[in-house]
Amino acid sequence: MDGRRIVTEHGKGSGPGVLVISDAGSDAPGWRIPCGEWSCIKDSATVASGVVVHHRDIAGSDLRTMQALTGFDAATGTLLWAPRDLARPVGAAATSQPDLVKQDSGRLVIGWYDLDASPTTVTYGVNAPVTGRLPATGPTLSGTPESGLADADVVVVVVTTTRTVAAWRIDTGTLLWQQAENEIRLEPVAVVGPVLYSGERPSMAVDLSTKAVLQRVVSDRPRPVGTDHAVVFTGTAYVFAIRRD
């Protein structure tokens, strides 16, 4: 990912396993992140803007298991920020835990969900990968976080929780739209230009900013390629520009 190879090494005996982060273009030995468990089953890592974001379970002060994110320099393994340094969005409870739903272009989109709330809620925020600081706070939605998509410029983010789907601008934190409980749930799979494409059930195209239905049945969904083109497979691959400027 992003020029880095991430390999899991299982622990020997009762020793903890490790995640080994190395340069994908060379055979040089990499640096290592110790896992919380010998098999690293619950540990994962991703790379965003030269930063490795490590996800693991930790024991909280009340002995409950909590999710935690830690940032390391992808090249050297230097600790950039610890779980306590990662800024929470406004409105997220002190008992909430983070889930990384999207990373791209110098931004981490993190959903902070509070299992103590009834019903469960998730508050979204945007964090800087290198510092863990919080440039913007997003909406608070019902449910727990599942996934996230963004447009090519990473300005509009579409997030999916266990209860709803919503789109918001990460530069201002403005909620653009949210699906109501009586709507057919979208299954966001791709953003191409100003259009959001849903999956098989339902397969449709909607306006990214307004949720207005543009096409109710989409048999061949385009896939974004980079920031300014997309490709459609219809037996033959067609590549087209999605920017007019």
Side-chain angles (χ1 to χ4, degrees), residues 173-186:
T174 304
L175 180 65
L176 297 176
W177 54 262
Q178 177 182 350
Q179 284 202 280
E181 290 189 3
N182 61 351
E183 291 185 68
I184 298 176
R185 281 283 300 274
L186 295 171

Side-chain angles (χ1 to χ4, degrees), residues 1 4-10 17-22 31-33 35 40 45:
M1 292 179 285
R4 300 287 159 183
R5 180 189 298 112
I6 301 176
V7 178
T8 300
E9 287 188 1
H10 298 301
V18 294
L19 298 178
V20 182
I21 318 297
S22 58
W31 54 274
R32 306 157 78 85
I33 302 176
C35 294
C40 296

Side-chain angles (χ1 to χ4, degrees), residues 129-150:
V130 176
T131 64
R133 294 177 181 173
L134 185 79
T137 291
T140 296
L141 306 174
S142 60
T144 56
E146 289 190 333
S147 61
L149 287 173

Side-chain angles (χ1 to χ4, degrees), residues 85-119:
D85 303 320
L86 187 64
R88 296 171 185 264
V90 178
T95 54
S96 60
Q97 46 191 315
D99 190 8
L100 179 63
V101 298
K102 177 67 179 175
Q103 68 280 339
D104 203 353
S105 298
R107 302 178 181 93
L108 305 177
V109 180
I110 299 174
W112 294 79
Y113 60 102
D114 186 5
L115 294 176
D116 289 339
S118 181

Side-chain angles (χ1 to χ4, degrees), residues 131-173:
T131 64
R133 294 177 181 173
L134 185 79
T137 291
T140 296
L141 306 174
S142 60
T144 56
E146 289 190 333
S147 61
L149 287 173
D151 62 350
D153 296 321
V154 197
V155 173
V156 177
V157 173
V158 180
V159 290
T160 301
T161 77
T162 53
R163 299 289 300 275
T164 188
V165 179
W168 55 288
R169 291 184 61 96
I170 66 175
D171 54 348
T172 62

